[in-house]
Structure formats: C-alpha cells, structure tokens
Amino acid sequence: MALKFDTGFDPVYGQGVSVAPDIQRITARNPSPFTFHGTNSYIIGRDTLAVIDPGPDDEAHLQVLLDVIAGRPVSHIFVSHTHRDHSPLAARLKERTGAAVLAEGPHRPARPLHIGETNALDASADTAFVPDVALPDDKVIDGDGWSIRTVLTPGHSANHAAFALEGTGILFSADHVMAWATSIVAPPDGAMADYMASLDRLIERGDRLLLPGHGGPVTAPRGFMRGLKTHRRMRERAILERVRAGDRTITDMVKAIYRDTDPRLHGAAGLSVLAHLEDLVARGLVVTDAAPAIDGIFRPAG
C-alpha cells in the first residue's frame, strides 16, 4: 500500500468529539510542527470513566476534560508515554478526580548516554511523572463496562504503550502510529530497532481502527502500517546510499534527504537519521568511530 497521510483533521477545540461508541476525543490547543493541531485526550465509558493521555499541563484543557467528564466518576488515567504533551496533566486530573494513574513507568532513555553526549530531547521529557500503577505488557484493566489491554510499543520512547479497548478492535496508538505523519524516533529517547519491532507487533494484531495521540483516526490500520514500514525501509536505503555516495555527516544527509521538509523539523530529522544509523551500525552496514553520535563521521562498511 502506498503511504498517504491524512492531514484533513478538525480539532474542534473546547469540546468533546464522539469518535466511537462511548469514546470522546478532546484535542488540546497546543499545535506545533511536532504535535499537528494538538494532543488528543480520550474519555472512555458511560458511567465510570477512563481517560487516556490527559495531555499537557494546561488549565484550559483541564477544564474541557472536566466539562466532558461532567461530574461522572473517573477510575483510571492511562498515560501512553512521558513526553510533555501527553503526561503532565495527569497529576492535576488525579487531584480533581481521585483516579489512579497507570503507565509503563517513569521516563527513561532507550539507551544510556554516550560519554560527552547530551540529550537534545531533555526539554520534552516529563521526568517528574511517576505512575501509581506500572503496567506490564498484555495487562488487562477492567473498568465499568470497558476493559483496556496494555500493548507495549517502545520506539518513539522507551516507555511508550498503546492501549487496546477489548472486544472492539480499537487501539489507542498514541505517537507510535498517526494518520497525519510518521512518528519521530530520536535517540537516546527512542530506538529504530524497537520502533520497527513494535510496528510489526501492531500489524500482527489486526485492529480495525487506531485512535492516535495527534490528528485523526487510522481507518485501514494494517495497510497503513505496512506502508509505514516500507517508508522506514526506503528512508534507511536513502541514508545508506548517501553514505556510500560520500556523505559522512548527518548534517549533509539531512540536507539531501529532507530538502523539501520544513526547516523547523531539520533538527528532529537529524535525530531520525541518527536512529537509522544506530541500527545500520548495529547490523554491520555502516561504521563509525566509537558509538554512533549526532556529530559522528559515518562510512560504509567493508
């Protein structure tokens, strides 16, 4: 399947949007090149509710969530990962509702930092977040008329989780799979090998509808995710071709491969190239001095 992104999304700020039976989407007003129109929070249930990804620490978004909750009890707050556009509001929502906060765990990088390396994504990490309940893979949480299964999907971040609404074929895919753009996989927070393995896992699940952390739903998930996988392999081949053609730095590769991309995203693009290069070095296709680094020199193997 050719990869076609869907950018025709109306966030409908300030209110809940019904996206499936007993599922309301509320989009935070935090648009950016990285968040599209903003972060999607989801409210699940009819009587006693669950919230998935409360979003950024924003008073207006908290108030909209409470308006949609409309005084009903909230038993659980699920958090997909600890980037600051998804998890910080959990603490304040817990204060207002008394709900337990559940997630894979606190923020952590996908690998240790190398000597002299700084984490370019430190500002985006919610390092204060600690869940009340740490969710292992495949854990099912039963609520009032709903059950949610944890599907661990590391890649975008080390602690990224998707959540499956049992018996519906609906998966809340957070930032792992989105209809409007590819997910950012940026070391040391994320790892390309983990991302690809998680993508394969979701393809095998066969869910019928994905509700992502940004933008609109993915309505033909299996074909779209196969397209994502092909897109990543094509990007990998483009990087390998640039290395074989003589590009030695990530800066040079980004200039060539992302020449039509918004320059504001070139920093993230460089980290994405590094994620691919880490994988290519691990597979013996590219070599570099010491560990792969954003300012490293890369050469073809052999």
Side-chain angles (χ1 to χ4, degrees), residues 66-232:
L66 292 172
D67 288 346
V68 176
I69 289 167
R72 291 172 290 178
V74 179
S75 58
H76 298 80
I77 300 169
F78 294 86
V79 174
S80 66
H81 65 296
T82 46
H83 286 157
R84 297 186 67 83
D85 56 324
H86 287 262
S87 56
L89 198 59
R92 294 178 66 190
L93 188 60
K94 175 185 176 180
E95 288 178 1
R96 299 294 293 269
T97 64
V101 177
L102 303 88
E104 189 271 355
H107 190 80
R108 67 181 189 280
R111 59 159 174 78
L113 268 65
H114 304 311
I115 294 173
E117 182 182 22
T118 58
N119 186 351
L121 301 176
D122 269 345
S124 68
D126 181 10
T127 55
F129 177 86
V130 179
D132 298 316
V133 178
L135 293 171
D137 191 34
D138 219 31
K139 176 69 174 179
V140 176
I141 301 296
D142 293 318
D144 182 8
W146 51 262
S147 295
I148 290 176
R149 182 182 300 273
T150 301
V151 183
L152 296 186
T153 49
H156 173 69
S157 67
N159 64 354
H160 194 285
F163 299 108
L165 189 59
E166 294 284 270
T168 68
I170 295 173
L171 181 87
F172 298 88
S173 55
D175 284 9
H176 191 72
V177 179
M178 302 174 289
W180 73 282
T182 57
S183 177
I184 293 173
V185 181
D189 271 20
M192 190 58 66
D194 290 345
Y195 176 84
M196 296 298 283
S198 295
L199 196 57
D200 282 338
R201 182 180 187 194
L202 293 193
I203 291 171
E204 291 170 3
R205 279 185 52 86
D207 295 291
R208 66 175 181 85
L209 181 70
L210 305 188
L211 298 176
H214 307 275
V218 179
T219 55
R222 182 169 282 173
F224 184 76
M225 288 190 287
R226 285 174 177 155
L228 281 177
K229 186 175 179 180
T230 298
H231 173 82
R232 293 288 183 178

